[in-house]
Amino acid sequence: MGIRIEGPGPRIMDFRDIHTPVLLERCVELLAPALDREGAVFVDATLGMGGHSEAFLERFDGLRLIGLDRDTDALRIAGERLARFGDRTTLVHTVYDGIRAAVASAGVDRIDGILFDLGVSSLQLDEAERGFAYAKDAPLDMRMDQSAGVTAADVLATYGEGDLRRIFERYGEEKLAARYARAIIAARQTEPIVRSGRLVEILDAATPAALRNAGHPAKRVFQALRIEVNAELAALEQALPAALELLAVGGRIVVLSYQSLEDRFVKRELARASSSTAPAGLPVELPEHAPQFRLLVKGAELASDAERESNPRATPVRLRAAERVREIV
């Protein structure tokens, strides 16, 4: 394997109890035509605890996996889970915008399939001390990679009112962004906001009574803080175009998004890649203007009612997929 993670971490024997891969069978179905051959290379850009990757390695005997994740706890668990596949797996500690370097370090030029399962992982949500879940009181960390970077508490302590309002509006699409930013600035004058329970109290108190039934007041703010702390959209904006460039002809990509900002970007990038670049009015499309990709699904696919019932974390998922049909000329 390409990485060894030392030191203490979460128990690894119970990962199957806390991790149900979203849209697993649909992902396998869409990627199978590109991966069902000896020597095919599959990149799991968001390895997590390895649930999706385990299924692909089990079903395609000739498959090689390159798994990426910024979370060292997740890599430790995935490494244990996938150890039985031996040298068919290479795990890399990196954010997915490091995909080019990760693939190159594995000695690979082109890949045959790639999966992005975006957003926060089951491990991060279920480990209360990570601070991702507003329903659990915990330190406001929210770093996917706990070895580096600023925490959510750092953001709340140092950002000005305008910056807080900006991230709540942009990354949380929160209509009460200005109100919540003011409340946070006022509250931190008394004491630092370092726990999720305290932040929830501040947001709840700042929410008008008439809007209290419109969903949990902390949901969008916590989403915005998580995206800011982990620079998630910035990473995706670099990673998705790089992933498309790495795909060989016949290679396929599947992206699972869980919030509208991610999904809009994915939709836009796949639409661009699957559209002709011929100038308007050109009577004949030249080969170099033909689309490089074709879309594999119409619009965004949702999880079935049965899957939503059995795995509530599949409820917001939006799946998009495409296949490379020609090389860049």
Side-chain angles (χ1 to χ4, degrees):
M1 247 190 287
I3 189 168
R4 181 178 179 83
I5 302 294
E6 303 289 355
R11 289 184 301 117
I12 59 178
M13 298 305 294
D14 59 355
F15 53 78
R16 288 181 177 83
D17 295 330
I18 62 175
H19 180 220
T20 303
V22 172
L23 291 176
L24 176 59
E25 293 304 322
R26 184 55 172 149
C27 290
V28 171
E29 178 185 13
L30 286 166
L31 290 168
L35 302 182
D36 193 9
R37 66 172 183 82
E38 186 66 31
V41 178
F42 169 58
V43 174
D44 189 337
T46 47
L47 181 67
M49 288 182 284
H52 283 103
S53 287
E54 181 181 46
F56 281 99
L57 289 165
E58 285 177 340
R59 300 187 196 196
F60 305 113
D61 293 338
L63 185 66
R64 178 182 176 187
L65 165 73
I66 303 173
L68 319 181
D69 209 291
R70 70 173 84 189
D71 189 327
T72 55
D73 286 342
L75 283 169
R76 183 184 296 107
I77 294 173
E80 189 76 13
R81 185 175 196 163
L82 304 176
R84 61 192 171 97
F85 298 105
D87 60 6
R88 292 172 59 199
T89 69
T90 300
L91 307 189
V92 184
H93 180 216
T94 185
V95 184
Y96 41 65
D97 60 358
I99 184 172
R100 283 195 183 94
V103 168
S105 70
V108 174
D109 295 322
R110 305 289 270 176
I111 61 178
D112 301 288
I114 183 164
L115 173 68
F116 285 89
D117 186 8
L118 301 172
V120 65
S121 73
S122 297
L123 172 65
Q124 291 155 353
L125 284 172
D126 290 334
E127 291 290 322
E129 65 270 18
R130 303 290 293 270
F132 286 96
Y134 53 80
K136 303 172 183 177
D137 182 42
L140 278 165
D141 191 317
M142 295 195 190
R143 291 173 299 169
M144 293 178 176
D145 179 357
Q146 291 188 298
S147 67
V150 300
T151 67
D154 294 330
V155 170
L156 294 174
T158 62
Y159 279 31
E161 182 179 329
D163 286 332
L164 289 174
R165 175 177 178 172
R166 172 184 57 80
I167 65 171
F168 297 162
E169 287 177 339
R170 182 180 179 192
Y171 299 147
E173 300 180 293
E174 175 55 67
K175 294 179 181 179
L176 297 177
R179 190 182 188 104
Y180 288 155
R182 287 194 300 272
I184 288 167
I185 295 295
R188 79 185 190 192
Q189 304 306 313
T190 303
E191 61 178 347
I193 305 168
V194 297
R195 297 191 66 85
S196 57
R198 176 57 180 148
L199 178 57
V200 169
E201 290 175 357
I202 294 166
L203 298 174
D204 187 60
T207 303
L211 298 179
R212 290 182 183 276
N213 294 326
H216 199 289
K219 180 178 180 179
R220 295 181 183 276
V221 170
F222 270 60
Q223 173 182 296
L225 286 170
R226 189 200 82 217
I227 292 172
E228 175 73 6
V229 165
N230 297 288
E232 291 177 49
L233 288 181
L236 182 61
E237 288 169 359
Q238 296 296 317
L240 190 56
L244 294 174
E245 290 177 9
L246 285 168
L247 280 170
V249 172
R252 293 185 167 202
I253 182 171
V254 171
V255 184
L256 306 179
S257 304
Y258 297 84
Q259 45 102 344
S260 58
L261 292 173
E262 292 171 340
D263 183 56
R264 285 200 294 269
F265 176 74
V266 174
K267 176 183 178 181
R268 186 166 63 247
E269 282 298 298
L270 294 187
R272 178 192 59 77
S274 59
S275 299
S276 171
T277 59
L282 197 69
V284 178
E285 181 182 67
L286 300 176
E288 60 265 30
H289 295 307
Q292 296 175 26
F293 286 80
R294 71 179 181 94
L295 300 181
L296 297 174
V297 299
K298 184 177 182 180
E301 287 190 357
L302 311 180
S304 67
D305 291 340
E307 178 160 0
R308 293 183 192 189
E309 184 176 351
S310 63
N311 184 12
R313 288 178 183 165
T315 300
V317 73
R318 301 290 185 272
L319 178 151
R320 298 184 187 272
E323 177 185 26
R324 178 176 283 282
V325 293
R326 76 168 181 89
E327 285 286 7
I328 302 173
V329 179

